[in-house]
Amino acid sequence: DTGVSQDPRHKITKRGQNVTFRCDPISEHNRLYWYRQTLGQGPEFLTYFQNEAQLEKSRLLSDRFSAERPKGSFSTLEIQRTEQGDSAMYLCASSLAGQGWNTEAFFGQGTRLTVV
Amino acid sequence: SQQGEEDPQALSIQEGENATMNCSYKTSINNLQWYRQNSGRGLVHLILIRSNEREKHSGRLRVTLDTSKKSSSLLITASRAADTASYFCATSNTQKLVFGQGTRLTINP
């Protein structure tokens, strides 16, 4: 499978616990994105990387959220001290950036987080 | 915050009919993309239209873009049960995609 891979697919955690999600993009893709999606809504942008550099972070992201892409390959998204409002689907996408942004993004299947 | 707004929010039609979904946006864009999402799954890219293009076709899909009105439409012809999904428009003007709320399409057999 050469698509975008996310792990785990599902995560149930107690409020106050920390969770970490992993995303493996398509190997030659230099851009990697994280989105959050709640039921009945469109994906909301969280952050993106160009290679290992985190170039933009949404104001939606509180200090409890952190993302890394240490070697410009896979990425991790960590949520500290989870709250019930963090329950959502977390989507990762990757793309091969060329001129501008005229390329499609490939999405993983997502990690569904439930905070109880 | 979402930039695109899809209309209608939900659409239910009979198999074989055409389905039209609309998207409006607020700021200037480099391109506009449409994605499909089956329930509980990731998004699948359908088609990309650049800001200097007015119409694009891909199989049973037809997308139009009117930058003066900041709007786009997605037409699915000869719909099939497998087309049942949520459809999202996404705009790009910098380095990220900004998605709308989506249209939930149901094809009835």
Side-chain angles (χ1 to χ4, degrees):
Chain A
D1 186 7
T2 58
V4 177
S5 177
Q6 291 188 245
D7 182 69
R9 292 289 309 277
H10 303 275
K11 177 70 177 179
I12 301 174
T13 190
K14 292 184 179 179
R15 189 174 49 189
Q17 298 293 306
N18 300 344
V19 293
T20 300
F21 309 141
R22 177 180 170 122
C23 172
D24 286 273
I26 293 172
S27 59
E28 64 268 25
H29 284 183
N30 52 2
R31 283 201 181 140
L32 187 147
Y33 300 77
W34 285 98
Y35 286 83
R36 179 174 66 189
Q37 185 180 28
T38 53
L39 194 64
Q41 302 296 311
E44 289 182 296
F45 172 78
L46 294 178
T47 188
Y48 93 95
F49 295 83
Q50 173 109 354
N51 300 312
E52 67 275 10
Q54 186 174 20
L55 297 187
E56 187 171 346
K57 188 175 176 181
S58 168
R59 286 171 289 181
L60 294 173
L61 234 57
S62 73
D63 292 342
R64 297 184 297 105
F65 287 72
S66 63
E68 294 182 343
R69 194 183 183 197
K71 296 182 179 179
S73 56
F74 73 92
S75 174
T76 57
L77 177 68
E78 181 184 17
I79 308 174
Q80 297 182 326
R81 305 181 302 282
T82 52
E83 301 171 357
Q84 287 189 320
D86 298 332
S87 295
M89 175 79 88
Y90 290 83
L91 295 165
C92 175
S94 69
S95 70
L96 182 61
Q99 293 291 331
W101 210 145
N102 287 323
T103 57
E104 65 183 277
F106 292 81
F107 280 79
Q109 296 296 319
T111 293
R112 181 169 296 284
L113 173 67
T114 302
V115 182
V116 297
Chain B
S1 63
Q2 312 287 15
Q3 158 154 248
E5 289 188 7
E6 283 94 337
D7 173 60
Q9 290 188 345
L11 179 62
S12 181
I13 61 174
Q14 294 301 119
E15 193 168 17
E17 294 180 339
N18 296 342
T20 300
M21 290 160 269
N22 302 295
C23 169
S24 60
Y25 57 93
K26 298 175 184 175
T27 64
S28 62
I29 61 173
N30 289 331
N31 65 68
L32 185 144
Q33 304 182 34
W34 285 90
Y35 287 78
R36 183 185 72 205
Q37 185 179 37
N38 290 86
S39 181
R41 307 295 295 276
L43 283 81
V44 175
H45 180 265
L46 295 176
I47 196 165
L48 180 154
I49 186 165
R50 290 179 169 79
S51 59
N52 60 354
E53 297 176 314
R54 292 297 167 258
E55 187 171 314
K56 203 160 184 179
H57 297 253
S58 176
R60 293 183 297 112
L61 306 180
R62 173 177 166 251
V63 169
T64 63
L65 178 65
D66 186 336
T67 53
S68 67
K69 296 181 179 178
K70 292 186 168 58
S71 67
S72 173
S73 68
L74 170 67
L75 169 67
I76 304 174
T77 60
S79 62
R80 305 167 182 170
D83 294 330
T84 294
S86 291
Y87 291 81
F88 296 92
C89 70
T91 56
S92 167
N93 63 349
T94 55
Q95 306 298 323
K96 65 177 186 278
L97 283 173
V98 179
F99 287 84
Q101 303 279 16
T103 292
R104 175 69 190 168
L105 176 65
T106 302
I107 308 299
N108 302 304

